[in-house]
Each structure stands twice: as structure tokens, then as C-alpha cells.
Amino acid sequence: MGAGNKQKSRKAREDWIQIDALCCGTGWDEDDLAAPHILIEDAFGESHPGSVHLRELAEEAKLGVYQSGGKPANFHGTDICDGWAMLHDGMNYILPAREVYCDLFEAHGRVIPWDGVLAISSCDKVIPAHLMALMRLDIPGLHMPGGSNRMGPAMSHSVFTGDDATRMRQGLDVAQSIRNYKLSGCPGMGGACQFMGTASTMQCMAEALGMTLPGAALCPASLQDIRRLSRQAGHQVMRLAEQGIKPSDIMTEAAFVNAIKVHAAISGSTNALIHLPAIAHEGGRLVEPELFDQANQSVPLLMDIQPSGKYLSELAWYAGGIPRVQWNLREMLDLDVLTVTGKTLGENLEQLWKEGFFERGAGYLANYKLRPEEVIKPLEQSKGTGSIAVLKGNLAPEGSVIKFAAMPQDMLVHQGPAQVFDREEEALAACLEGRIKPESVVVIRYEGPRGSGMPEMLATTEALVSIPELSKVALVTDGRFSGATRGPCLGHVSPEAVVGGPIALVENGDLVRIDIPGRRVDLVGVQGKPVSPQEADGVLAKRRETWQAPRRQHPRGLLRRYSQGAASAMRGAFLED
């Protein structure tokens, strides 16, 4: 190890010898004290399948560090799951918790001058939190994804019960179907949800940014491969420390552009439009929403994965995972970007071909009588360009986000009367009780970052796609969505309602128009009567004169702090400095 980097942990010990005593009190010996000190930060806990197996991966990583001459120290910071938080106020804490994980990792990373850091996580908010903290700490390090859970029966997954849940809330008998789902929705011993939700998306983004070992994202958690990769990650953090390669050297502007293009090609979760800007912000970089929209107008959609496609994440990894996507997009990507291997993206891809990574995956895929090109399309077989659009207009001056690849194509342009709700719970009740009119536009507001922590709307979006009478109903909200969301659902509307965004001024019966090809969302009528753009602006201005934000008292602590200091969703919804 280079003398400068090695001195980081050594000097702290020499300056304050109690550090050595405390380390020896946790089982270190004197040889350990002299070795480079490596922080292994994992999200292990019994909070959900994505985290329950991470201690095993951390143990493998520790072996890798030991074998390369370092001394690892394992710290834990368990994440929480959106699925546990559904249909109650716990959902309000899910996005704010991202800031907690980031701060905790930072605190662990600052307590002594570590020589290197390795983050291990699987899921929605903790992966971006770990990447944010890696950028904030800027200590040589990398990320190890926790991989994918096994597929359920008949290509089912952990959120496959949306239809049953809706029917159950309507009083129908689906007891046996629900029991089957409980026993098989998460059949593996660990790993993230099996579709291209936010967890899978953020694993893919970590790899696309160059912050994981090649081929690590989406690796089935049941395979030995993920343990080998974890061991290799332990070796690699030592090499990064030796070479002095830091996250800021890897997560460059070019790396973010690459990641956004990969996001378009895999039909990634809309939540990446919150997380990637927040990660970039930690490094003083700016990721504009327009970058996503530009990518989605030019990059072909390649990955045929639910909810936008047919297959599941385990099969995507067998098909070649993110390296296959990058190989197919190689003419559109910057292949000279540096990665955590110490090599460029182009060099990594060439190495994967030489060592048989793609060949082995294709062999696994053959067990399912599938070929790689059926799961990850070649460019010439793409179903079209992109999957996400950023819409602006008089209802979303800063922007809003929609995943058009997971919705009926005859709803790309939709206009209907608004039915307005100030809480998601009220909107869901109206859906289940038959109070939503066909072809209307459901508006849910005061659910943005400062409104209520920006909860996801999965229960309501599932009701909209599961109840036949609501198949032509659209949703517009300043809240966010699950990565599993299907249907014509427009979220992240900014500015949000609680700070006086135009969505706060919409009234029942107003005509709202969503135009995805035109990238617009606008109020175009009042009380069912069309108005001109100038008249619409006048109506909104007149309503603003008497508008007052509703009082919503959050409990003391995290949610109150977050609601007072969160940035706009279109900037990353991070806590302002």
C-alpha cells in the first residue's frame, strides 16, 4: 500500500493509543493493528429479504480484505422496506430514511481515517444512500450489490399480488391465492425484488456508474457467484486503497451520462430520477432531468423485464446483465470512463468476454429454454426508444416523471376531468368504493418531499390497473411511485403542492391534459369547459391569491426535519445543506 494512504489509519492510532486498545477489545491482534484499516458498511438486518443475507456477503468481503493484507471492520446500518410500510404512515419515512443511512455511513466513515471502504446493500433507498456517502466521504471504495431473489411460480414476484390485494379490499374471496403468494412471493434466501423496481434499478445504476465489480448487479443471491464477487470486492477495495482511486474519480459527469443511458435501456424505475441527482449532488455535480428525457428519446429499450416487459431479474443476469446492455450500447457510451476495477469500462467488457461471463450466463438461461437476445434485445430488435418521459407545463413548471413503457399506449395522450385528493388514502378509498369516474384524472397532492416525505402510491396505482372500470383513468401526483408501478401515472410533479406549486390550485372538474409525446401536463379547462393557455394561467394566478397550505403536523424527529428541509423532487429530494 502507498505510504500516504497507509498513514491515514496509522497516524490516528499513533496520535491516540486508546484506538488500539479499543480495537484489541473487539478481537483484533497486533498484526491487525498495523494493517490497512477497511470499513465494511452493510445493511444487514431482518427487515426484508434484500438485507437478511448481507452478513454472509460481508463475511466473504472480510476474507478478501484479510487475504489482501488488510484488516476489515464490519459496521451495520439496517434499511427499511417499502413493502412493510404500505397503507400506513410508515411509508412517509421511506425516502427520508435514505438521508439517515447516508449520514450513518458518513459517521462510521469519519470516526477514524479509514484506508478504504466497501458498502454492501441490495435495495431501494440504501443503495443510493451508500453511493451518496461514498461520494461524500471520497475514500477509496466500492459498492457490492446484494443481488436478486429467486423467481416465484409462473414468473411471479414479490409484488405480484396487486390484483388479489385489490379484490380482497373489495370483499372478494381470494384466500387461497393470497396464501400461495405469501409462501412463494419471496422464495429465495435473500436478494431484492425480482423485477426492475427501484432496488434492481439502483443495483444496475451502481454498476453503470462504475462503482461495482462488472456483472455484480442482479446476480441471483442463491448462487455462489455472488459470494465469489463479494470476496473479490474485498480484494478490490485493497487495490483501490493502494492506488488511491476515489469515488470522485469514478462517478464523473461522463459516468452519470452513461448510467442515464443504461437506465433508459433497462426501463429503470422512476425513482432513479430522484436518486441519481442526489448522488451527483454529493460530489458537487448537477444531473438535470432533461438528461433523462434526452436519453429516453434516443436510447433503445433493450431489457424485456417486468413491469415493462416479460421476464424477471434473475433471467436478466443470466442473459448478461448490465454488461450485456453496455456491450449492446457500446457505440452510445463513453467506454473510457474509469471503474472500480482500475480499468476502463471498455476494458472490463472485453475482459468479461475473455473469461466466459457471457457464455456461462447463456448456459444458465438455456435451462429455461431461452436465449440471451430474448431477454436483452440487440439494438436491431429493440421495441422502441426509452421508457421514461419528463413532462413540464402549467401544472409542473419544474417537471414531472412518467414511465410510459409500463402503460397502455393508447393513453399516451389523455385528457379528463380532475378528481382531487389531498391524501393518497382518500384517493384509494374512492377507487375501491367506485367513486372514481371513467376517463378522469386523479390528482393526489401534498404528498411531495416537504408535504409528507414523498411516499409511493403503489396501493392506488395497483387499484387503477386492477379494477377494469378504471383502466382509462390517469393519476397525477407530487408523490412518487414504486418501481413496480404500471399504468398512466405521472409523479414527482414539481414544485410540489405544499410550497405552492400549481398542482395545489387544481379543483374538481378542471380539465387536465397529459401529452407524453409533447412532454406536457397542463390544466386546459375549468369546470369541464376548455380554456386557452393564457386563460388557464389567469385562473391559476387568481386561485393563488387565496390559497393557503393546509396544516399537517408531523411527529417530532426525522419526518419533521425532512419536511422542513427537503429539496425539490426534480433536484433529488435530498436534505438541503
Side-chain angles (χ1 to χ4, degrees):
M1 167 171 268
N5 283 332
K6 191 171 183 179
Q7 186 67 21
K8 287 176 61 180
S9 60
R10 177 176 292 177
K11 185 177 187 306
R13 294 174 34 248
E14 291 172 349
D15 288 346
W16 189 250
I17 61 172
Q18 184 190 19
I19 295 174
D20 283 359
L22 294 169
C23 289
C24 288
T26 63
W28 295 32
D29 64 22
E30 291 183 273
D31 289 337
D32 292 331
L33 295 173
H37 294 177
I38 304 297
L39 170 62
I40 297 180
E41 178 85 9
D42 69 52
F44 164 72
E46 296 182 354
S47 54
H48 55 93
S51 292
V52 74
H53 67 308
L54 296 182
R55 183 160 58 181
E56 300 172 26
L57 303 189
E59 290 299 320
E60 290 290 345
K62 287 170 69 175
L63 285 172
V65 172
Y66 271 125
Q67 290 171 342
S68 289
K71 176 61 181 82
N74 190 196
F75 287 35
H76 308 294
T78 303
D79 61 324
I80 54 178
C81 179
D82 301 42
W84 282 32
M86 199 69 61
L87 295 179
H88 61 85
D89 286 346
M91 182 58 76
N92 296 340
Y93 287 82
I94 295 296
L95 183 57
R98 181 189 70 180
E99 311 305 306
V100 176
Y101 311 143
C102 179
D103 288 350
L104 179 62
F105 188 1
E106 180 195 10
H108 291 167
R110 302 258 192 230
V111 66
I112 66 169
W114 301 98
D115 298 298
V117 293
L118 169 59
I120 304 176
S121 51
S122 302
C123 290
D124 300 38
K125 309 307 173 293
V126 70
I127 293 176
H130 280 175
L131 293 172
M132 289 164 67
L134 282 164
M135 187 74 102
R136 186 184 294 179
L137 291 166
D138 211 23
I139 299 169
L142 71 159
H143 178 258
M144 177 63 213
S148 300
N149 208 298
R150 294 300 310 273
M151 296 181 291
M155 211 71 72
S156 62
H157 55 68
S158 58
V159 192
F160 211 68
T161 191
D163 293 349
D164 282 344
T166 299
R167 287 194 287 269
M168 179 180 68
R169 288 192 289 269
Q170 292 175 314
L172 301 177
D173 183 9
V174 289
Q176 186 57 52
S177 178
I178 287 176
R179 182 172 186 268
N180 290 342
Y181 163 75
K182 289 178 181 178
L183 297 176
S184 62
C186 301
M189 290 295 290
C193 293
Q194 309 96 318
F195 49 92
M196 192 50 71
T198 309
S200 294
T201 296
M202 293 315 299
Q203 289 191 30
C204 294
M205 292 299 93
E207 182 167 341
L209 284 168
M211 287 300 294
T212 79
L213 294 177
L218 308 183
C219 182
S222 59
L223 290 187
Q224 286 295 335
D225 294 72
I226 199 167
R227 285 149 185 82
R228 283 193 287 268
L229 284 164
S230 298
R231 182 86 65 95
Q232 291 168 20
H235 289 295
Q236 192 58 34
V237 70
M238 291 291 292
R239 298 188 189 104
L240 290 169
E242 173 72 28
Q243 297 164 359
I245 298 174
K246 299 178 294 185
S248 61
D249 299 321
I250 296 168
M251 289 190 279
T252 60
E253 291 183 12
F256 278 101
V257 171
N258 277 356
I260 290 169
K261 290 178 179 179
V262 170
H263 181 267
I266 66 175
S267 189
S269 166
T270 54
N271 285 305
L273 277 81
I274 300 172
H275 299 318
L276 287 178
I279 297 164
H281 170 77
E282 293 295 340
R285 297 185 170 92
L286 182 64
V287 170
E288 298 279 10
E290 287 76 14
L291 289 175
F292 289 91
D293 199 62
Q294 292 165 9
N296 279 272
Q297 293 189 61
S298 59
V299 175
L301 176 57
L302 301 182
M303 198 175 271
D304 195 5
I305 299 295
Q306 296 184 31
S308 300
K310 180 178 180 181
Y311 302 108
L312 294 176
S313 54
E314 180 177 348
L315 299 182
W317 188 80
Y318 295 147
I322 291 306
R324 174 80 70 177
V325 174
Q326 292 169 322
W327 180 261
N328 290 356
L329 292 178
R330 61 191 181 277
E331 299 299 327
M332 297 184 176
L333 301 178
D334 184 340
L335 300 182
D336 293 326
V337 293
L338 183 67
T339 73
V340 294
T341 64
K343 301 176 181 178
T344 66
L345 171 59
E347 290 171 331
N348 289 345
L349 294 176
E350 293 289 349
Q351 183 63 34
L352 288 174
W353 279 110
K354 291 177 182 177
E355 68 180 33
F357 171 78
F358 296 106
E359 181 181 359
R360 289 192 301 275
Y364 280 118
L365 202 57
N367 294 333
Y368 299 89
K369 295 181 170 53
L370 290 170
R371 292 171 287 111
E373 57 268 27
E374 295 178 76
V375 183
I376 300 176
K377 307 290 186 183
L379 293 184
E380 62 273 14
Q381 295 180 23
S382 167
K383 296 189 293 184
T385 54
S387 60
I388 282 176
V390 175
L391 278 57
K392 294 187 176 182
N394 64 22
L395 289 184
E398 292 180 7
S400 58
V401 181
I402 192 165
K403 190 170 185 175
F404 61 82
M407 61 177 282
Q409 298 304 287
D410 61 358
M411 292 284 286
L412 292 177
V413 178
H414 178 76
Q415 179 174 311
Q419 289 189 250
V420 183
F421 303 91
D422 290 348
R423 296 177 64 91
E424 189 211 0
E425 294 86 344
E426 297 167 358
L428 177 60
C431 291
L432 299 176
E433 294 166 9
R435 292 187 279 117
I436 300 298
K437 300 172 184 177
E439 300 190 11
S440 62
V441 176
V442 173
V443 176
I444 304 176
R445 60 194 180 191
Y446 300 108
E447 300 283 24
R450 293 202 177 205
S452 58
M454 206 178 184
E456 69 174 40
M457 306 282 160
L458 181 60
T460 301
T461 59
E462 283 297 296
L464 290 176
V465 298
S466 301
I467 300 173
E469 295 80 6
L470 303 182
S471 62
K472 299 298 181 183
V473 172
L475 171 63
V476 174
T477 180
D478 53 6
R480 63 183 180 86
F481 301 124
S482 163
T485 292
R486 305 168 286 163
C489 304
L490 181 71
H492 307 195
V493 171
S494 300
E496 62 178 289
V498 79
V499 300
I503 190 175
L505 309 174
V506 180
E507 296 180 358
N508 286 316
D510 287 347
L511 296 179
V512 175
R513 179 178 175 84
I514 300 169
D515 180 358
I516 295 173
R519 299 303 198 261
R520 300 282 304 183
V521 55
D522 294 287
L523 185 147
V524 296
V526 177
Q527 295 302 310
K529 296 181 180 179
V531 296
S532 69
Q534 295 77 14
E535 290 171 323
D537 290 343
V539 168
L540 293 172
K542 183 68 175 176
R543 291 175 182 176
R544 185 176 300 283
E545 293 176 2
T546 57
W547 171 83
Q548 289 184 335
R551 291 188 176 183
R552 185 174 293 183
Q553 188 66 29
H554 296 305
R556 293 179 61 184
L558 171 62
L559 187 55
R560 185 180 297 183
R561 291 195 303 273
Y562 186 75
S563 67
Q564 292 171 347
S568 162
M570 296 306 291
R571 290 176 54 215
F574 48 80
L575 272 173
E576 299 274 17
D577 296 331

